Amino acid sequence: MMGENDPFACFGEDSGSSSDDSERQALDSKATVNLEEARRLKSLANDNDAGRSIALTPITDDPRFEMFDSGPLSGKGLRATSGYKRGDEILRERAAMRVPNSHAAASLEEAREMHRWALQRAFDSMHRATRDALMELYSCDEEEGAKTPRGVYDTNSYQLWGAHDNRGGLFLTVARINHSCRPNVDHFWREDLQRTLVFATRDIEAGEELFTTYGPSSYMDTRGRREYLNERFSFKCMCSMCAEGNANGGDDRMAQIQSLQEDTAFFSLTKMAAKDASAALESVEKCLALMNEQGIGGPVFTKSLYHRGHDICMAAGDSEGAISYLGRELKAVQDSEGIDSPKAIKIESVLNGVRVH
C-alpha cells in the first residue's frame, strides 16, 4: 500500500519477517544480531509482563457498533448501530499482541525461527481470556481445527507505522472488520496514544457493515485485486467494486488513477516553471476526481495527493496555491488520523504561522 502510513498497509501486511528483510539483514554481524534481538525481545517481554494480568477482549459494550455474523464466507463482522459522518472516530483499541516486524538474522531460516519464538512468547504471556479471543480469529492458511497463534497473527496483524515503533500489532476488534476494495472506514495507528483508531471515510448509516481494506498496495484492476487477496488471504473478493468490474469503467479508472499517482509523485519532487506546475496540478485534480468517481475518495486515500499539490505549488513558487492544498491536507489528516494527531497539529501550526505573516 505507498510509503509512510500507507492506506493499504493493512491486515497481514509486513507484520512478520519477510524474505527481503532477512536477506537484506544477512550481512549484519552475529554480535549485532544477538544484541539487537536481545533488546527487542526484552522490550517485548516487558510490554507483555505489564499486561499479563489484563484481559483484553473485543469491544462489545460500545452502543455505536456491534459484532454480528456477516455470513458463511465472511464470518464475524462489525456493523454500525448509529449513523456516522465522514471523519467521525468509530473506535480506538489497544493491541492484544505486538511482535517485531523484522529480525536481524544470519539467514532466512533463522529469522523465521526468531519470529516464531517472539510470537509464541508474546502469546504465552497473555491473559487466558485474551488468548481465547485471539484464537477465535480467522487463519487464512490453516484449517479451523488446526489453527496456531502464528497463523492467526500473520493473517490479522498489520505494521504499526511510527518513528519509534518497529512492530506489528493485532487488535481483536479491528481484526473483525471485513474487507472491501471500496471501504467505508480506515484504521490508523497513533503512536502517541499507543492505540489504533478507526475513522469513517464517508457518511455511514445505521445498519451498514463496516469495511476496511486489506490491500493490495496499488490501484489494481479487478483481476489483480482478486488475485492478490486470494493469494494472501485465501478468499475471492465479492465487494461492490469487484462485482462491478469494468462494467461502468471501474478497471479503466483504476488504471488511470495508478498512472496519475505515479506522475504526481514524480512532479512533487521536481522544480518546475509555472506552466509545468499548472499541468501537474491538473493531474492532481484529475486523480482526485477519478478517485471520487470510483468511490475511493476518502481522506485516507487523498491526503497524500493534497500534500503533492502543496509540494508542486511550492516548487513553482505559488505560495497561495500551496496554502490552499495544505488546508485541504489538514482536513484529510484530521478526518483520518484525528484532530489532535501530531501530524494535524504540525500542519495547523504551519498554516497559522503563514497566516500570521
Side-chain angles (χ1 to χ4, degrees):
M1 341 187 73
M2 301 173 296
E4 184 180 359
N5 299 330
D6 180 351
F8 298 99
C10 297
F11 302 104
E13 283 290 305
D14 297 324
S15 56
S17 296
S18 69
S19 58
D20 288 343
D21 289 332
S22 304
E23 291 166 358
R24 184 171 56 252
Q25 294 165 340
L27 298 177
D28 290 351
S29 69
K30 197 68 177 179
T32 300
V33 167
N34 292 337
L35 177 60
E36 290 302 318
E37 190 58 22
R39 288 172 176 168
R40 288 181 181 180
L41 293 178
K42 180 179 179 181
S43 174
L44 179 64
N46 289 340
D47 283 352
N48 288 323
D49 288 342
R52 186 186 294 270
S53 61
I54 300 175
L56 297 175
T57 55
I59 300 170
T60 58
D61 59 352
D62 193 314
R64 301 170 299 170
F65 63 86
E66 63 182 0
M67 192 177 299
F68 77 113
D69 188 349
S70 186
L73 298 180
S74 302
K76 299 290 186 182
L78 292 189
R79 177 169 56 197
T81 53
S82 63
Y84 295 96
K85 294 295 184 181
R86 172 174 166 161
D88 282 353
E89 181 184 322
I90 296 173
L91 67 90
R92 58 178 61 189
E93 186 175 28
R94 174 182 173 179
M97 177 185 282
R98 293 169 67 179
V99 176
N101 288 319
S102 60
H103 303 270
S107 68
L108 176 58
E109 181 180 355
E110 182 182 11
R112 287 174 172 167
E113 182 59 31
M114 292 165 77
H115 176 58
R116 283 194 292 268
W117 189 83
L119 198 152
Q120 191 62 51
R121 181 184 179 90
F123 181 78
D124 291 342
S125 299
M126 289 178 176
H127 190 284
R128 174 176 287 277
T130 306
R131 293 201 302 266
D132 291 345
L134 183 144
M135 293 307 295
E136 290 179 1
L137 296 172
Y138 174 64
S139 175
C140 65
D141 293 324
E142 299 171 322
E143 297 294 331
E144 184 60 32
K147 289 192 295 186
T148 64
R150 181 185 180 185
V152 172
Y153 178 84
D154 287 348
T155 298
N156 295 279
S157 62
Y158 67 95
Q159 186 164 342
L160 307 180
W161 297 95
H164 306 289
D165 213 325
N166 184 36
R167 286 180 283 186
L170 185 151
F171 301 80
L172 296 172
T173 310
V174 176
R176 291 296 188 182
I177 304 177
N178 284 315
H179 165 84
S180 173
C181 299
R182 189 177 280 151
N184 56 13
V185 305
D186 72 89
H187 57 275
F188 183 82
W189 170 249
R190 283 281 297 272
E191 187 177 21
D192 59 319
L193 301 176
Q194 291 295 292
R195 298 290 187 275
T196 278
L197 278 58
V198 176
F199 297 92
T201 64
R202 61 166 174 79
D203 291 355
I204 299 173
E205 295 182 1
E208 280 192 68
E209 181 170 358
L210 306 181
F211 293 103
T212 187
T213 177
Y214 298 178
S217 60
S218 58
Y219 296 89
M220 292 183 177
D221 62 11
T222 302
R223 180 178 178 179
R225 295 194 307 273
R226 281 180 164 172
E227 286 179 350
Y228 168 84
L229 291 165
N230 185 58
E231 180 179 345
R232 182 62 188 84
F233 298 102
S234 302
F235 72 86
K236 180 180 180 180
C237 186
M238 298 300 294
C239 73
S240 61
M241 187 187 293
C242 286
E244 291 172 8
N246 202 36
N248 298 314
D251 286 345
D252 294 338
R253 274 192 297 275
M254 292 295 274
Q256 287 182 278
I257 291 169
Q258 179 63 29
S259 178
L260 288 167
Q261 288 277 350
E262 293 169 358
D263 289 346
T264 56
F266 171 77
F267 290 146
S268 66
L269 299 174
T270 307
K271 288 188 176 182
M272 57 186 68
K275 178 182 177 181
D276 296 326
S278 178
L281 292 175
E282 284 182 13
S283 294
V284 170
E285 293 300 325
K286 183 178 180 180
C287 190
L288 288 167
L290 287 169
M291 292 171 73
N292 278 323
E293 188 177 354
Q294 187 66 2
I296 52 174
V300 68
F301 298 107
T302 58
K303 58 188 176 183
S304 62
L305 274 173
Y306 294 138
H307 188 77
R308 291 172 194 171
H310 164 269
D311 288 349
I312 291 168
C313 289
M314 290 295 290
D318 179 7
S319 58
E320 185 175 339
I323 292 172
S324 176
Y325 273 106
L326 198 59
R328 295 164 75 182
E329 182 187 3
L330 172 61
K331 175 59 176 171
V333 170
Q334 290 174 333
D335 286 350
S336 61
E337 302 179 21
I339 294 175
D340 62 344
S341 67
K343 188 173 181 180
I345 293 172
K346 181 177 180 180
I347 295 174
E348 193 165 23
S349 175
V350 171
L351 282 171
N352 289 337
V354 170
R355 290 163 183 156
V356 167
H357 292 89

